[in-house]
Each structure stands twice: as C-alpha cells, then as structure tokens.
Amino acid sequence: MTSAAPPAPASRIRWRRGRVTATGRSWRDALELTAEVAGEGELRALAYPSLVGVPEVGDDVLLNTTALAQGLGTGGYALVVAVPDRLPPDPEGPGHLVKARYTPLQVMVQGVDEQETEHHATIADAEDLGGMPVVVADLHSALPAVLIGMLATDPDLKVAYVMTDGGALPAAFSRTVGALKSSLAGVVTVGQAYGGDLEAVTLHTGLLAARHVLGADLAIVTQGPGNLGTGTPWGFSGVAAGEACNAVSVLGGVPVGALRISDADPRPRHRGVSHHSLTAFGRVALGGVTLVAPRGLSSELGGQVDEDLASQPERNTVVWLDTDGLDTALGLSPVPLSTMGRGYPEERAYFLAAAAAGRYAALQVPVDPETVLAAAETEGTAPGE
C-alpha cells in the first residue's frame, strides 16, 4: 500500500521577481535600488553586494518581500536575494566561520577567534577586559547617543561597537554604523551577525577582541537595527541586554546600562523606564549593572523614573548623572537621532539617558599611571619637582 506524500510545508517567504529600474545611495556593504514588479509597481529594494553582487539597471532580481508586505518597522525594503543572470564570482577570502547558518544566504567569514587568523593567539591568551567599561543598550538607536556622551566627555577615547544578533544580522544594514565609522575604533559582529571590521563567534570573544585587538578604552553593545517585541514580559529581543551585562561581568569589565526612558511613547509599558530595561537589567543581569539616570528631566518624568528604579535589586547601582552640555552635543549629532519613528527632541529623555550612560562610562575608564606621569612631565609638574 502506497502512502500519500506528506503535504508541502507552508511557504515562509513572499517571493517576487523584479527588474532594476534605478540604483540609489550606497553605504558600507549596502546598495539601495528600485525594482519594477509586475502587478505591484516599483518597490524600494536593498542589496548586499558582498552576498549577491552589484545589481545594475536592467538586471532581473529575485526579491524577498515578506517583511515589506507586512509593513513591519524594519521591513521598509524588498531584499535582493539573487541576480540570477549575473552571479557574483566565487569567494576567495580566508575564514571558515559560517554565519546566518543553514539559511539560503549563509555567509563565510574569518573570525577573530579562529585558528587561522593572526589574532587567534591574542584571543586565546586574553583572560579579561581589564576593567573596561561597557555600555549595554536595548535598542540600536541608542548607539549614536551613547557614543556622543562618551566622546563629549573625552574625545580621545577609543570606542568599539559590538553588534549582537538580536536585530538585523548584516552590519551593513545600519546607515548609522556607516556614518559613525570615523568615530569608532571598529565594529565587531558577534553570534549570527556579520559584516563588522572583526567577526567573532560569541559576545565574549567579541568583547575581548574590542579590548585586546582594537585597543578600545570603552565598548558599546547593542543589537543591530530592528527590535522584535511581542508585548509580553519576556518576548522581546532586548532580553539579551541582560545577558550582555553578564558577559561583561564574567570577563572583568564594568557593565553600564543605558536605560530606555520615554514620555513620548504611547504604550504604557514603555513610559517612564521601559519594562524592557527593568526586565533585562533587573532580572537577567545577575552580576549587577550600574544604571544611569539623567538629571534634567521634567519633574514628572524624573519622579516616574525614580519610582520605576526603586525596585531594582541591591546588586544594581542607580546613579543620577549631571547632563550639562549633552543636549548641545546631541543636537550636533552626525547622524539623525530616531527611535520608534520619533526623533530628538521629541524623544529627548531616551537620547539623554543614552548619552548620560556614555558619559558615566567614559568617567570610569581606568587611568594609565604612565600616561598621567607623561602628561605631568610635559606640564612640568611631575612628582618631586
């Protein structure tokens, strides 16, 4: 007796075939383009040249339009899956780390921690972060504000960005990262995220690479662009912020939490201190984390933040920090400041909190005695004179 073939699984991708009608701006490893799709008109699309080659006007392209059709916040593009009539050349670079594993677009990269890289011995011998402060934030949109707070405090600090895989996997998707490149010591992509200046298998080796390979004084950890949330206490990708704090603690760093604060978000769970911050830092970060609240909020919002943070466990220290000059620095941001579709100053509290966390971390950077001595000798005030 012949059994019937099992039914085909339901499709998970909304496929379309289009033709490129125009190409637009490009940054890092990303190219915007417009593709004409029969019956749907022109769609804004995005290609990653290192994956699919460089689409040109007139090329037929295969597109994934799933998120675009759903109208998701991070789904504003149709994504180019292939240029089938003009495939890119085979890769020739080193590396055997596979990221986006077992998906149709898995990529091969060289990890800073794998045996064949010049940095393998450094990572193998690295035992800790040497007290390096690390600011951990829930959302990618906090990245520029945290960096602004750090560099406004000390422009000579070297800051690394460690991007986790809770949001977008390609670092190239972030125009923010591309625009901040000159202000960063480097970008490290960890886990399934890829496309940084350095690749790492785990957040732990990514943090060690930031410290010992890039020579960073400070690091910022956030997920890539995008945030997955379900309106449930635990069902959001920012839970990983607490795990990041644990990694920093294990490695002998100083975890600093950038609080998600808002009086503009219409959702009650995100007003005052967001439940994302309260959960990730208060219930997941078991090694303790310093939570930085910015002074200069309205009396109403400041009171709400104080009340929200009162229930934090004893292992977490709450610091209220002066923010003099940070509003001016945020107003001069080299990239647009925007979170959940709202910019600065509409979401002033959110960006001010991120900048305050950056300032606090900058003030915690361990002082090198030799550097202090050299500076004193230059100024003629060395000990004994």
Side-chain angles (χ1 to χ4, degrees):
M1 182 175 179
T2 303
S3 59
S11 175
R12 297 183 184 275
I13 296 178
R14 186 176 185 267
W15 291 94
R16 291 296 184 268
R17 184 183 295 272
R19 177 159 294 179
V20 179
T21 57
T23 57
R25 58 183 172 173
S26 62
W27 64 92
R28 205 171 174 95
D29 179 30
L31 171 66
E32 283 186 343
L33 54 92
T34 303
E36 179 77 25
V37 174
E40 298 184 24
E42 291 190 332
L43 303 180
R44 188 175 70 149
L46 190 70
Y48 299 112
S50 68
L51 272 61
V52 301
V54 181
E56 298 176 357
V57 173
D59 281 340
D60 287 332
V61 288
L62 295 181
L63 302 169
N64 179 337
T65 64
T66 312
L68 177 64
Q70 290 288 333
L72 301 179
T74 52
Y77 290 102
L79 297 174
V80 177
V81 178
V83 185
D85 298 327
R86 196 162 51 80
L87 299 176
D90 292 343
E92 298 179 355
H96 71 268
L97 297 190
V98 179
K99 296 201 174 187
R101 291 186 284 276
Y102 303 103
T103 70
L105 285 180
Q106 63 181 11
V107 297
M108 190 81 73
V109 299
Q110 184 176 53
V112 69
D113 36 10
E114 67 174 283
Q115 289 86 344
E116 289 79 9
T117 178
E118 61 181 309
H119 304 300
H120 179 260
T122 299
I123 299 300
D125 293 340
E127 295 184 354
D128 58 44
L129 298 175
M132 180 177 73
V134 180
V135 175
V136 179
D138 172 17
L139 300 177
H140 186 74
S141 56
L143 170 62
V146 174
L147 181 62
I148 286 168
M150 290 174 170
L151 298 183
T153 304
D154 185 346
D156 294 326
L157 292 172
K158 295 180 66 176
V159 183
Y161 171 46
V162 181
M163 183 178 128
T164 63
D165 54 13
L169 298 185
F173 186 74
S174 174
R175 291 195 295 273
T176 295
V177 167
L180 295 177
K181 184 174 179 61
S182 62
S183 299
L184 292 168
V187 177
V188 187
T189 37
V190 306
Q192 298 283 356
Y194 62 89
D197 301 298
L198 297 175
E199 307 278 0
V201 174
T202 67
L203 174 57
H204 297 74
T205 50
L207 287 167
L208 291 170
R211 178 63 168 171
H212 298 286
V213 177
L214 296 178
D217 302 303
L218 295 158
I220 304 169
V221 176
T222 75
Q223 61 186 333
N227 177 63
L228 183 59
T230 62
T232 60
W234 295 99
F236 61 99
S237 53
V239 166
E243 300 290 3
C245 291
N246 290 335
V248 175
S249 296
V250 165
L251 293 173
V254 178
V256 179
L259 293 170
R260 183 174 172 181
I261 296 173
S262 178
D263 56 0
D265 199 307
R267 298 166 294 180
R269 66 183 184 276
H270 293 306
R271 294 182 72 86
V273 181
S274 167
H275 84 97
H276 284 193
S277 291
L278 298 176
T279 299
F281 297 137
R283 303 181 68 182
V284 181
L286 300 181
V289 54
T290 299
L291 303 178
V292 182
R295 296 193 184 278
L297 302 176
S298 69
S299 58
E300 181 179 357
L301 180 57
Q304 181 64 57
V305 170
D306 196 32
E307 181 180 334
D308 291 340
L309 295 177
S311 60
Q312 284 295 294
E314 290 186 6
R315 63 180 178 271
N316 290 349
T317 301
V318 176
V319 174
W320 285 87
L321 195 73
D322 288 334
T323 56
D324 293 347
L326 289 184
D327 276 300
T328 299
L330 289 168
L332 298 173
S333 173
V335 299
L337 298 177
S338 178
T339 184
M340 298 297 165
R342 297 179 295 275
Y344 176 87
E346 185 181 3
E347 280 282 10
R348 173 180 177 269
Y350 170 79
F351 293 110
L352 192 62
R359 169 172 284 181
Y360 177 85
L363 294 172
Q364 308 310 307
V365 172
V367 176
D368 182 353
E370 293 184 3
T371 301
V372 174
L373 180 60
E377 290 175 344
T378 300
E379 297 174 4
T381 58
E385 293 184 1

